[in-house]
């Protein structure tokens, strides 16, 4: 069963009697694990109040393109970038026409223009308006632009007519939304992902580690599952909940992660190393807690850990092997050197000198370093970024 776990859905509500159903759509989206923010057109606010949808979504409702307070809190470009899916439900005939024309004269149409991920519309209108060739032409334009059209249903209408144009039931709309994320591009493939930090023990109570959150690796596991892959997530200690369909292998030290990775290589098609593996570990692990002494200094000898991703790339047969490179300077040059040194098929490079993205953040911007090309993926949520990466990796395997 597909779900909307960790998906960010921006629900656009346009004017029409079915606008009252947006309250239930929010609830059903949340049941599937989605975070929801709401944008209402002025006409929608004649049918249901922003306060209702604010209370249900748990976030302020956005209504105005030129509202300085709302822009200061979360600007409209930021809002468009926040969303994994922009769902307009109900979508009136007028809204569909304006979307087809590419208008940007109110907040919702502007968000549609600025949003680069998926858009879905759930039409709701009188049956004659639905059948009108103008509406059908507009829908054809949207379909050509890969906008998903969800519904409508047919039956008794608020105006007394009977026919097509009823908003599909909220549960069905939400199921369609979940299906949009299921690409099937890695059906039958196995993807192994390392994630999170490692801990290198000094004694029974102390260790050396780092601040990696594991978010990128967990997001990639979710995207691999959505793409239909059997997914193995080899994770260092994190506070994250693993996607329930992934096979979780818990690792603590680099040595654990190395052993688990080599174990997982049978039938592995893609190996993605996102873990922040400690480069070195203490040479000796004290059996008892190390006691403080009178000396003001202490020496700990460190020895090098195995390079897991390089070991995987040296394995025969070699899976499609992807590494990450977090750099603070000469990002592309160092990442390309890593691609060659470790014999990788792709390196995902990010500039960790920028404090607001990357390590421990929800967003990232990366450069993909392929043997013969480079591509920039602009700043976006790690879940969206993960889907973009999986899409490109699947295209290489096809
Ligand atoms: O060499 P560096 O640590 O900069 O390389 C980073 C990449 O190599 C990441 O993909 C990381 O997961 C992987 N790596 C590894 N084993 C190590 C060190 C890094 O798999 N011991």
């Amino acid at each position: 069963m597909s779900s909307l776990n960790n998906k960010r859905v921006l629900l656009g509500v346009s004017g029409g009697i079915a606008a009252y159903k947006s309250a239930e759509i929010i609830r059903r989206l949340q049941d599937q694990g989605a975070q929801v923010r709401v944008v209402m057109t002025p006409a929608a606010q004649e049918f249901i109040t922003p306060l209702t949808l604010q209370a249900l979504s748990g976030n302020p409702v956005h209504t105005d393109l030129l509202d300085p307070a709302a822009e200061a809190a979360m600007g409209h470009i930021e809002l468009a970038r926040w969303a994994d899916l922009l769902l307009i439900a109900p979508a009136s005939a007028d809204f569909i026409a304006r979307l087809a024309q590419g208008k940007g004269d109110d907040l919702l149409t502007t968000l549609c223009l600025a949003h680069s991920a998926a858009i879905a519309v759930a039409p709701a209108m009188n049956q004659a308006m639905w059948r009108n060739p103008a509406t059908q032409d507009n829908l054809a334009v949207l379909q050509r632009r890969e906008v998903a059209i969800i519904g409508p249903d047919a039956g008794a209408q608020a105006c007394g007519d009977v026919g097509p144009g009823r908003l599909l039931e909220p549960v069905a709309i939400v199921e369609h939304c979940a299906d949009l994320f299921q690409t099937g591009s890695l059906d039958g493939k196995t993807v192994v992902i390392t994630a999170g930090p490692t801990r290198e023990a000094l004694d029974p109570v102390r260790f050396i580690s780092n601040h990696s959150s594991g978010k990128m690796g967990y997001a990639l596991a979710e995207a691999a599952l959505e793409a239909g892959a059997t997914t193995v997530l080899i994770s260092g200690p994190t506070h994250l909940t693993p996607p329930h369909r992934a096979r979780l292998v818990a690792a603590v030290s680099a040595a654990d992660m190395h052993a688990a990775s080599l174990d997982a290589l049978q039938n592995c098609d893609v190996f993605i190393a996102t873990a922040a593996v400690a480069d070195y570990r203490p040479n000796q692990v004290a059996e008892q807690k190390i006691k403080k002494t009178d000396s003001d200094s202490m020496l700990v000898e460190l020895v090098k850990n195995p390079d897991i991703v390089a070991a995987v790339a040296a394995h025969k047969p070699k899976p499609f092997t992807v590494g990450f490179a977090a750099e603070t300077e000469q990002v592309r040059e160092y990442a390309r050197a890593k691609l060659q040194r470790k014999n990788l098929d792709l390196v995902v490079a990010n500039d960790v000198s920028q404090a607001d993205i990357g390590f421990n953040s929800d967003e990232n911007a990366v450069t993909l370093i392929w043997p013969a090309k480079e591509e920039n993926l602009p700043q976006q949520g790690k879940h969206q970024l993960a889907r973009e990466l999986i899409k490109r990796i699947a295209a290489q395997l096809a």
Side-chain angles (χ1 to χ4, degrees):
M1 235 241 347
S2 44
S3 87
L4 288 166
N5 205 25
N6 282 325
K7 303 293 178 299
R8 297 158 160 190
V9 180
L10 187 55
L11 175 66
V13 185
S14 68
I17 183 62
Y20 80 94
K21 289 196 180 169
S22 57
E24 200 191 335
I25 295 173
I26 294 171
R27 275 281 185 253
R28 300 291 81 83
L29 287 168
Q30 291 168 334
D31 288 348
Q32 292 294 318
Q35 296 174 44
V36 185
R37 287 181 177 270
V38 181
V39 178
M40 298 178 79
T41 65
Q45 294 167 61
E46 302 292 331
F47 292 92
I48 185 165
T49 69
L51 195 60
T52 306
L53 302 191
Q54 173 171 320
L56 289 170
S57 66
N59 286 306
V61 169
H62 303 260
T63 54
D64 210 339
L65 182 58
L66 304 173
D67 175 351
E71 280 296 298
M74 191 183 227
H76 62 274
I77 299 295
E78 212 181 329
L79 192 57
R81 209 166 55 200
W82 173 85
D84 295 319
L85 171 68
L86 217 169
L87 165 68
I88 297 96
S92 65
D94 176 64
F95 182 80
I96 287 169
R98 295 192 304 119
L99 184 60
Q101 286 169 35
K103 293 241 179 196
D105 54 359
D106 67 5
L107 180 58
L108 191 50
T109 49
T110 304
L111 287 168
C112 290
L113 283 178
H115 178 66
S116 53
I119 300 182
V121 296
M125 65 196 73
N126 164 270
Q127 54 83 23
M129 291 166 82
W130 170 257
R131 289 192 170 108
N132 191 295
T135 301
Q136 292 302 317
D137 284 353
N138 289 332
L139 287 160
V141 168
L142 296 187
Q143 263 167 331
R144 222 171 38 237
R145 290 188 206 142
E146 296 187 1
V147 172
I149 316 291
I150 301 180
D153 213 347
Q157 300 202 304
C159 52
D161 283 5
V162 176
R166 278 168 58 99
L167 186 72
L168 209 60
E169 283 309 315
V171 172
I173 291 175
V174 170
E175 260 171 35
H176 275 89
C177 290
D179 286 347
L180 292 177
F181 289 95
Q182 308 299 312
T183 64
S185 60
L186 286 175
D187 272 346
K189 305 284 187 207
T190 297
V191 176
V192 179
I193 298 165
T194 66
T198 64
R199 285 182 183 172
E200 309 302 328
L202 280 155
D203 69 14
V205 294
R206 302 188 181 94
F207 53 80
I208 298 172
S209 190
N210 59 65
H211 289 294
S212 167
S213 62
K215 284 176 186 162
M216 194 66 232
Y218 279 56
L220 276 161
E222 209 152 281
L225 286 163
E226 283 168 9
T230 300
T231 303
V232 181
L233 179 59
I234 302 173
S235 178
T238 73
H239 296 292
L240 304 174
T241 308
H244 70 275
R245 286 173 296 149
R247 183 159 79 77
L248 181 73
V249 181
V252 178
S253 64
D256 293 344
M257 196 174 268
H258 181 241
S261 298
L262 297 182
D263 262 5
L265 286 187
Q266 219 184 359
N267 301 325
C268 168
D269 299 290
V270 179
F271 186 93
I272 310 176
T274 70
V277 182
D279 289 327
Y280 293 89
R281 67 179 182 277
N283 192 19
Q284 303 278 343
V285 182
E287 270 181 30
Q288 305 298 332
K289 186 180 168 196
I290 300 169
K291 301 302 286 180
K292 203 165 18 194
T293 66
D294 289 339
S295 171
D296 284 341
S297 63
M298 179 181 187
L299 282 177
V300 176
E301 191 189 3
L302 300 175
V303 290
K304 210 169 206 169
N305 270 327
D307 191 312
I308 300 170
V309 76
V312 168
H315 187 267
K316 299 272 178 311
K318 179 190 172 194
F320 186 89
T321 311
V322 183
F324 273 65
E327 306 290 352
T328 54
E329 54 172 351
Q330 299 182 54
V331 177
R332 288 162 48 229
E333 291 76 3
Y334 285 154
R336 183 160 293 286
K338 210 160 285 183
L339 182 87
Q340 284 155 2
R341 192 173 66 247
K342 302 193 187 200
N343 188 27
L344 306 179
D345 299 297
L346 168 65
V347 167
V348 183
N350 69 313
D351 183 348
V352 283
S353 64
Q354 292 173 260
D356 55 331
I357 56 170
F359 233 59
N360 229 339
S361 148
D362 286 335
E363 301 217 328
N364 211 347
V366 299
T367 304
L368 304 187
I369 312 284
W370 303 86
K373 62 177 179 185
E374 291 181 8
E375 184 187 2
N376 288 321
L377 297 182
Q379 183 172 344
Q380 54 199 301
K382 285 185 175 173
H383 287 278
Q384 183 57 29
L385 191 63
R387 285 191 284 277
E388 293 294 330
L389 274 172
I390 291 292
K391 190 157 83 182
R392 283 160 180 76
I393 293 169
Q396 292 296 309
L397 263 57

